[in-house]
Amino acid sequence: MDKIRLLIVDDHSLVRQGLSQILSLEPDIEVVGEARDGEECLQKVKELHPDVTLLDINMPNMNGIKALRKLKDMDQNTKVIILTFHEEIEYLFETFNLGANGYIVKDAESDVLIHGIREVYNGVSYVYPTMAEGEASQLNMIRHVEGNGQETQKAQLTKREYEILTLIADGLNNREIANTLFISEKTVKNHVSNIFKKIKVNDRTQAAIYAYRNKIKSI
């Protein structure tokens, strides 16, 4: 029996080790590697050719959103399951729009994760059950709004805010952005707060999704 070759991508070593120990017990799953961030993920996929990649969203250096975009543009056959703490339905829609094959939250039972891995490996899109309950109606609503041209207009950001938003999408924290732009960390923090208000998001991952969706940041 062919085993499912699996790559685990998460910036927390305990999470990677725990997942590896649990999943390696399954007779049809082989954990072929681990990665700490999006950059290492891309390298490991090229080297190991996993069938399925478990991908976290919030990671340093390169976040899961950017890694997902790059993975789908690479000539690789790996299927991607987003494994994250984010239970907001917008993350589900956006990651599937970017090419994800599955979406599972980290507090799911291990048998749910294992089932999801097998489903995705066999070509079936898989969504964590409690999130899937309201998926169809919300997706129809989103399509209706988009079809009627009622999408929210892009926020009016300053040139500096655009620069900072692109760096947020690259996964940089405030200190790294400050060093890149040669400004103070406090100034960056103020800019980030203004950006969040203007584009109506609550965290850096939502800001990254906004940047990609509105083509402010490309790969």
Side-chain angles (χ1 to χ4, degrees), residues 5 20-21 69 79 120 159 182 186 202 204 216:
R5 294 171 54 80
S20 181
Q21 291 176 1
R69 287 178 61 92
K79 295 180 173 67
V120 167
K159 181 179 178 181
F182 302 103
K186 182 178 179 180
N202 298 316
R204 302 175 88 86
I216 293 170

Side-chain angles (χ1 to χ4, degrees), residues 89 93 131-145:
I89 203 74
F93 290 140
M131 295 187 69
E133 293 173 359
E135 176 185 1
S137 60
Q138 293 198 46
L139 181 57
N140 287 334
M141 179 184 68
I142 288 173
R143 285 174 174 168
H144 174 75
V145 170

Side-chain angles (χ1 to χ4, degrees), residues 107-154:
D107 62 357
E109 297 293 333
S110 59
D111 58 342
V112 171
L113 175 59
I114 293 165
H115 176 65
I117 292 170
R118 290 171 177 154
E119 288 285 275
V120 167
Y121 173 73
N122 288 315
V124 179
S125 296
Y126 185 82
V127 178
Y128 182 60
T130 58
M131 295 187 69
E133 293 173 359
E135 176 185 1
S137 60
Q138 293 198 46
L139 181 57
N140 287 334
M141 179 184 68
I142 288 173
R143 285 174 174 168
H144 174 75
V145 170
E146 292 179 347
N148 285 282
Q150 297 174 354
E151 290 181 288
T152 303
Q153 296 295 316
K154 288 184 186 179

Side-chain angles (χ1 to χ4, degrees), residues 23-86:
L23 297 173
S24 295
L25 296 174
E26 298 301 310
D28 59 338
I29 296 176
E30 178 186 4
V31 178
V32 295
E34 301 175 9
R36 295 166 294 183
D37 55 43
E39 292 180 352
E40 190 174 9
C41 169
L42 300 179
Q43 178 183 345
K44 294 286 187 179
V45 168
K46 290 179 182 178
E47 294 175 357
L48 303 172
H49 306 288
D51 298 310
V52 178
T53 296
L54 292 182
L55 182 63
D56 188 19
I57 289 180
N58 296 103
M59 297 183 294
N61 300 324
M62 180 189 294
N63 61 40
I65 301 297
K66 185 171 184 178
L68 175 60
R69 287 178 61 92
K70 285 185 172 291
L71 280 175
K72 291 304 175 178
D73 284 340
M74 290 165 54
D75 187 19
Q76 302 289 336
N77 295 320
T78 188
K79 295 180 173 67
V80 178
I81 297 176
I82 300 298
L83 184 62
T84 178
F85 283 117
H86 294 290

